[in-house]
Amino acid sequence: MEQQLQLLKEEALTKIENAISVKELNDVRVSYLGKKGPITDLLKGMGKLPAEERPKMGALVNVVRESVTESLEARMILLEEQAINEQLAKEAIDVTLPGRPVQTGNHHPLTRVVDEIEDFFISMGYEIAEGPEVEKDYYNFEALNLPKGHPARDMQDSFYISEDVLLRTHTSPVQARTMEAKGGEAIKIICPGKVYRRDSDDATHSHQFTQIEGLVVGENITMSDLKGTLDLFAKKMFGEEREIRLRPSFFPFTEPSVEMDISCFKCGGDGCNVCKKTGWIEILGAGMVHPNVLRMAGYDPSAVTGFAFGMGPERIAMLRYGVEDIRHFYTNDIRFISQFHRSEA
Ligand code: PHE
């Protein structure tokens, strides 16, 4: 039996040495030390031995068991360490490798132009006002001195929702709404927003586009305030050397009404393709708020005056960036949009 034990020990120790994974080693442990293993069997068989041999054999079996357990534990520590090292090596990150480039987005060119225009007017003390895109005929037309049947309504072909409700054709209804809400107080606002017209889409027309409205109402607001404001604006947006020119025009809600041109930023006024050889580029419509408009909104035209202007950021962006088709702004082709980076502004 002693010999048997010795063999068993050697066999176990060899298997332990040869185990190359934690799992294999565990199998060895179970097969030798487990409840059904040979060592347990030997201990169980002790009862059959003569009484005087039992202590000696018992001690021997214990020695073998301890030695197998010890080498099992030692091997286990080694194998576990190896396993951890292997995993660490596998998961190692090379911090010296160049990173993958991160795709960054950029602002839509139209958003950039609107932001810039807003920044300019906010710096001049204007506040931003907003109004609904689905608008009442009253605010879109009537309160702006365009009663039903007025021929100038044809200037802005409209999408009607019902007889009295339409998609606003310009941001001017926000003038009427703001005046009505302010109840006689002084006003200095701009209103950026979407507007809608029943136009066929082409390179220069879109059924939906953007406008920025401006309105200043107060005591002693004059045409020269309007002109000074527009002059500063033109220089800010198109360069310090820009001149502006006001041409007489017509809008039912302003009197007098003007159209503002800037001297061509490409040729400086000599005449080129951008200014169609005239040296001037039309930018926006403006005028002094019509007394009827003031009166309808509850202001006293003999006590206060005001000026208003309205412009199209698409047109400004097209001129600025040389975009030849307004539809580029809405199709959102990433190849188009990604051309406009902050640094190029
Ligand atoms: N609402 C006018 C338009 O859409 C622009 C405008 C606004 C003109 C304010 C004068 C004053 O054409």
Side-chain angles (χ1 to χ4, degrees):
M1 185 161 174
E2 244 185 275
Q3 223 177 352
Q4 209 186 335
L5 251 176
Q6 203 53 39
L7 268 176
L8 202 66
K9 182 181 152 188
E10 269 159 36
E11 193 188 87
L13 292 185
T14 321
K15 285 205 176 154
I16 291 171
E17 252 352 273
N18 290 343
I20 52 159
S21 72
V22 172
K23 183 178 175 310
E24 245 178 72
L25 192 60
N26 259 328
D27 291 345
V28 176
R29 186 174 55 80
V30 172
S31 71
Y32 284 90
L33 301 179
K35 275 187 194 134
K36 288 175 188 156
I39 294 183
T40 315
D41 278 352
L42 277 173
L43 283 170
K44 277 185 199 156
M46 295 281 278
K48 287 178 200 144
L49 286 177
E52 63 279 14
E53 278 186 35
R54 276 184 215 157
K56 192 178 151 222
M57 279 314 289
L60 234 104
V61 173
N62 272 335
V63 169
V64 169
R65 192 170 58 177
E66 262 161 40
S67 118
V68 169
T69 311
E70 252 169 49
S71 45
L72 259 171
E73 277 170 6
R75 182 87 183 141
M76 187 58 97
I77 291 172
L78 198 91
L79 287 180
E80 277 177 353
E81 205 173 301
Q82 256 176 27
I84 288 177
N85 285 341
E86 263 168 37
Q87 193 170 1
L88 282 178
K90 213 163 51 191
E91 289 174 2
I93 295 169
D94 183 353
V95 291
T96 64
L97 278 176
R100 292 195 190 94
V102 177
Q103 282 251 327
T104 51
N106 53 279
H107 282 131
H108 191 284
L110 205 53
T111 307
R112 294 180 51 181
V113 166
V114 171
D115 282 354
E116 211 178 308
I117 296 172
E118 285 181 7
D119 284 350
F120 169 78
F121 284 104
I122 287 169
S123 81
M124 302 269 287
Y126 286 69
E127 279 171 31
I128 306 237
E130 282 181 337
E133 288 170 32
V134 180
E135 185 54 287
K136 289 187 173 147
D137 180 282
Y138 174 77
Y139 291 112
N140 195 80
F141 288 131
E142 239 161 283
L144 295 171
N145 205 26
L146 276 141
K148 287 214 160 74
H150 192 290
R153 282 188 177 215
D154 297 345
M155 281 162 68
Q156 303 183 355
D157 261 339
S158 322
F159 288 112
Y160 273 92
I161 305 238
S162 69
E163 210 178 307
D164 293 315
V165 177
L166 74 165
L167 297 182
R168 70 180 176 192
T169 56
H170 49 178
T171 42
S172 301
V174 184
Q175 285 189 37
R177 283 180 172 275
T178 308
M179 283 190 270
E180 201 180 77
K182 290 274 183 179
E185 279 173 42
I187 295 173
K188 208 169 168 186
I189 54 140
I190 55 164
C191 164
K194 297 189 190 84
V195 301
Y196 303 83
R197 287 190 198 174
R198 230 155 47 98
D199 266 329
S200 301
D201 293 358
D202 62 24
T204 53
H205 294 85
S206 170
H207 60 282
Q208 183 210 299
F209 57 103
T210 319
Q211 280 196 338
I212 298 183
E213 191 84 7
L215 174 69
V216 175
V217 178
E219 284 173 21
N220 302 319
I221 301 293
T222 67
M223 189 90 183
S224 56
D225 294 320
L226 171 63
K227 191 173 177 189
T229 304
L230 295 181
D231 188 48
L232 270 178
F233 169 72
K235 289 179 164 58
K236 174 75 188 6
M237 292 299 290
F238 293 100
E240 276 305 309
E241 326 77 61
R242 294 288 69 72
E243 305 272 328
I244 64 161
R245 138 182 123 169
L246 301 181
R247 274 180 297 110
S249 184
F250 171 77
F251 300 103
F253 32 93
T254 47
E255 181 58 37
S257 300
V258 293
E259 211 93 47
M260 178 189 87
D261 300 340
I262 59 167
S263 56
C264 180
F265 51 82
K266 185 165 182 211
C267 63
D270 299 339
C272 68
N273 59 333
V274 173
C275 58
K276 301 196 186 92
K277 306 249 185 295
T278 64
W280 295 93
I281 304 172
E282 185 188 318
I283 297 290
L284 53 78
M288 300 307 291
V289 180
H290 196 290
N292 286 350
V293 174
L294 287 169
R295 209 174 288 119
M296 274 185 277
Y299 282 73
D300 175 2
S302 65
V304 292
T305 46
F307 68 73
F309 54 84
M311 65 181 99
E314 276 90 345
R315 183 170 161 72
I316 293 174
M318 285 169 90
L319 288 166
R320 251 249 186 118
Y321 301 124
V323 176
E324 271 159 13
D325 195 318
I326 195 170
R327 290 167 293 196
H328 285 314
F329 292 123
Y330 314 117
T331 42
N332 284 336
D333 184 332
I334 205 76
R335 292 167 301 180
F336 170 74
I337 297 173
S338 61
Q339 290 176 59
F340 304 89
H341 290 288
R342 272 259 162 256
S343 52
E344 291 160 19

